[in-house]
Amino acid sequence: MPSISHLIEEFIRTFPFFLKPLLLTFELTFASVVVGTVIGLFVALLKISKFPIGPIIANVYITVIRGTPLIVQIFVLYFGFYKVVDLGQFWSAALALAVHSGAYIAEIFRGAIQSIDKGQLEAGLSLGMSPAQTMRRIILPQALKRSIPPLGNQFILSLKESSLAAFIAMDELFAMARRLSAETFDEMTFFLIVAVYYLVIVMLFTYLVNKMEKRLAKGDS
Amino acid sequence: MSEKQAMIRVQNLKKSFGAVEVLKDINLEVKKGEVVVLIGASGSGKSTLIRCINFLEIKNGGDIFIEGKSIDPKKDDLSKVRQKVGMVFQHFNLFPHKTVLENVIEAPLIVRKINKEEAKKEAMQLLKKVGLEEKADVYPSALSGGQKQRVAIARSLAMKPEIMLFDEPTSALDPELVGEVLETMKQLAREGMTMIIVTHEMGFAKDVADWVAFMDKGKILELAAPHEIFNHPKEERTREFLTRVL
């Protein structure tokens, strides 16, 4: 085990090297969560839709994504995107992560939508609103609010999972740790340091999500 | 009886949930301005009947005529039909993410597509009518049950319906809050609103109803003027029910 003082020294020395990767990790996470949220909402609506083929498509997508390892998905999607439509490295990686988290986000939204009291739909319909208007104006706003805490968790998962992008040539946090450990043969030091980076970000974010959750809970009856 | 138009006519209505037949051959006619109160034990089909009239439940057989037109839930635009038929629910079903005023203007804005100023003006008049104009900007969670139900009535009236359906509007209320909701409904009746009301408030039924229908096991067993039903019930089952609730 490296000593604490050695870890701190190396942390401070290499801090400038980690800044850009840190930013890239954030960008990857943020892009994949935003796109994943759009995918998730679309798939959730497909899954509860009345078109007979909608739920089938949604289920196939969710089953495949949840049933295969993320690293495999990343390689397949990355090379798929990269070679077929060439979106550039960043977006290929971000989309691969988004398609992955989209499946989980879809289930978050579906659960939230179905948790809204049936009386809300009936009230909207009884006022002459169409089912689509009721969904958009009445059900979704309430469901999205209920989705925020689990979406926060998904964000944390996505942040950690973005480390797998190191394997498709993204110079994010974990890639930097691998490079520094390869250069210095001081593997433990840099993997511990990168663990601290992730841990601190996750703890900060958890704190923010909890705070937001409390504030949202206040508005509820 | 015949000079006034039937706003609602229900003919041989049948409704089942799975193997359970909830409505068996229901016939009912409600003319313009009439108040019909449905009474009967829980499970007798009262709520299902008015939910069928608003097509929140889809009938298995028979016909429902709204203003003389038979409605086919598969073909007709139910939104159009429901604009004429307001509904008030036992559990209010106010939109919790919207203020009282926003609850009331929602459907006029989205469905009637009137402008916001006009919608607000109408809404404030309705809130005044139900005695809640000073609550316009609060959220439903800050209201008592009776206030919630009065907002729900105002919200429904904002669509200018021809007919109002009330599904046990006071059953979820604390006893001391029942009166204010019944008073609002009485006022509507005096103004000539056509109403079908499911309720357990027998005193209210006596006061307000033109007709009282006693339902039992999915059938309308007896339909008569309130003094007839309450003083000289013809059916044994009606008598039994009334001795239990009066």
Side-chain angles (χ1 to χ4, degrees):
Chain A
M1 273 292 277
S3 69
I4 298 286
S5 59
H6 176 68
L7 278 172
I8 294 172
E9 259 170 45
E10 287 299 281
F11 181 87
I12 294 168
R13 183 181 70 81
T14 57
F15 184 68
F17 301 124
F18 274 107
L19 280 180
K20 253 179 120 173
L22 186 64
L23 185 65
L24 185 60
T25 289
F26 272 130
E27 285 170 347
L28 265 179
T29 306
F30 191 70
S32 68
V33 168
V34 169
V35 178
T37 301
V38 175
I39 296 174
L41 184 57
F42 179 72
V43 174
L45 291 175
L46 258 188
K47 186 158 177 177
I48 57 171
S49 73
K50 291 214 170 77
F51 306 108
I53 198 148
I56 297 174
I57 295 172
N59 280 330
V60 167
Y61 166 68
I62 291 168
T63 305
V64 168
I65 296 297
R66 294 213 291 202
T68 54
L70 174 56
I71 188 75
V72 176
Q73 291 165 22
I74 287 181
F75 273 68
V76 169
L77 290 167
Y78 174 70
F79 289 112
F81 284 132
Y82 198 49
K83 288 188 171 161
V84 179
V85 277
D86 195 5
L87 297 160
Q89 253 184 347
F90 175 81
W91 278 106
S92 301
L95 277 181
L97 289 165
V99 168
H100 175 77
S101 55
Y104 292 88
I105 293 174
E107 289 293 64
I108 291 172
F109 282 145
R110 183 189 58 82
I113 290 169
Q114 290 179 338
S115 79
I116 302 297
D117 181 42
K118 201 167 156 261
Q120 293 289 306
L121 173 67
E122 293 185 347
L125 293 180
S126 80
L127 289 166
M129 296 167 77
S130 68
Q133 284 171 332
T134 309
M135 179 55 80
R136 203 174 62 238
R137 306 269 318 175
I138 308 300
I139 312 284
L140 274 186
Q142 297 181 57
L144 293 185
K145 188 173 154 188
R146 272 187 206 178
S147 304
I148 288 175
L151 279 178
N153 284 332
Q154 187 59 42
F155 188 91
I156 289 169
L157 283 174
S158 293
L159 179 93
K160 293 186 291 179
E161 286 168 351
S162 72
S163 60
L164 290 174
F167 297 99
I168 46 174
M170 285 272 100
D171 289 325
E172 45 67 78
L173 278 178
F174 187 60
M176 179 51 69
R178 291 218 312 165
R179 184 191 303 169
L180 288 170
S181 65
E183 281 171 4
T184 59
F185 298 105
D186 191 3
E187 294 91 350
M188 267 308 264
T189 301
F190 292 105
F191 290 132
L192 281 173
I193 284 174
V194 80
V196 169
Y197 277 101
Y198 282 111
L199 185 62
V200 169
I201 303 169
V202 167
M203 284 168 68
L204 268 175
F205 196 75
T206 306
Y207 172 76
L208 289 177
V209 171
N210 286 343
K211 234 178 130 171
M212 188 144 71
E213 209 170 321
K214 276 195 192 116
R215 187 181 309 166
L216 286 174
K218 255 186 227 161
D220 282 336
S221 48
Chain B
M1 294 264 302
S2 58
E3 74 274 18
K4 277 190 179 171
Q5 187 199 359
M7 295 291 280
I8 296 172
R9 193 148 58 90
V10 175
Q11 233 171 32
N12 309 110
L13 180 68
K14 289 183 185 65
K15 173 68 188 174
S16 303
F17 293 115
V20 186
E21 208 179 6
V22 187
L23 296 179
K24 306 165 187 166
D25 201 29
I26 296 277
N27 291 288
L28 181 69
E29 198 174 293
V30 183
K31 295 200 171 65
K32 195 170 170 54
E34 282 183 343
V35 176
V36 173
V37 171
L38 303 178
I39 61 171
S42 335
S44 57
K46 309 177 301 282
S47 289
T48 306
L49 173 55
I50 65 168
R51 287 169 60 80
C52 280
I53 293 173
N54 211 6
F55 302 94
L56 291 177
E57 305 291 351
I58 300 303
K59 62 187 164 107
N60 297 119
D63 260 315
I64 297 168
F65 297 84
I66 307 284
E67 291 185 320
K69 187 179 178 302
S70 169
I71 306 297
D72 179 348
K74 288 206 177 68
K75 288 189 195 127
D76 289 305
D77 182 357
L78 292 180
S79 306
K80 283 261 155 35
V81 178
R82 291 182 183 125
Q83 287 173 42
K84 288 185 205 161
V85 187
M87 176 113 172
V88 173
F89 300 88
Q90 181 177 356
H91 295 290
F92 331 121
N93 299 343
L94 292 181
F95 306 135
H97 60 304
K98 293 179 182 290
T99 65
V100 165
L101 184 67
E102 286 165 351
N103 264 275
V104 180
I105 64 174
E106 176 70 13
L109 287 181
I110 301 301
V111 183
R112 282 170 57 210
K113 297 192 164 63
I114 62 176
N115 73 51
K116 202 166 182 174
E117 282 313 303
E118 206 181 330
K120 276 187 182 171
K121 217 176 93 195
E122 286 182 13
M124 287 312 291
Q125 278 167 359
L126 287 168
L127 287 174
K128 194 174 173 186
K129 184 172 172 171
V130 300
L132 288 169
E133 49 187 331
E134 80 282 9
K135 298 285 186 189
D137 295 321
V138 309
Y139 283 89
S141 58
L143 299 178
S144 73
Q147 292 172 330
K148 282 181 190 168
Q149 195 59 297
R150 285 185 281 150
V151 171
I153 292 172
R155 177 177 71 176
S156 200
L157 290 175
M159 286 305 291
K160 301 185 189 293
E162 309 272 338
I163 301 156
M164 287 285 285
L165 307 173
F166 291 85
D167 187 6
E168 302 204 24
T170 59
S171 298
L173 297 180
D174 291 337
E176 76 271 20
L177 302 176
V178 169
E180 60 190 72
V181 172
L182 294 183
E183 196 44 57
T184 306
M185 292 165 64
K186 276 183 193 170
Q187 191 189 337
L188 272 181
R190 279 197 296 271
E191 289 167 7
M193 177 63 80
T194 310
M195 307 202 269
I196 302 180
I197 302 164
V198 173
T199 187
H200 295 288
E201 298 290 331
M202 296 303 151
F204 172 79
K206 269 183 206 166
D207 282 357
V208 176
D210 295 299
W211 306 100
V212 176
F214 174 69
M215 286 189 71
D216 186 53
K217 299 193 180 105
K219 286 184 175 164
I220 294 182
L221 219 54
E222 196 167 347
L223 173 81
H227 61 91
E228 284 288 321
I229 285 254
F230 289 114
N231 301 329
H232 315 287
K234 288 196 180 66
E235 299 285 335
E236 181 54 34
R237 284 288 300 124
T238 317
R239 267 196 291 277
E240 270 173 40
F241 175 76
L242 287 174
T243 39
R244 265 188 292 124
V245 297
L246 286 180

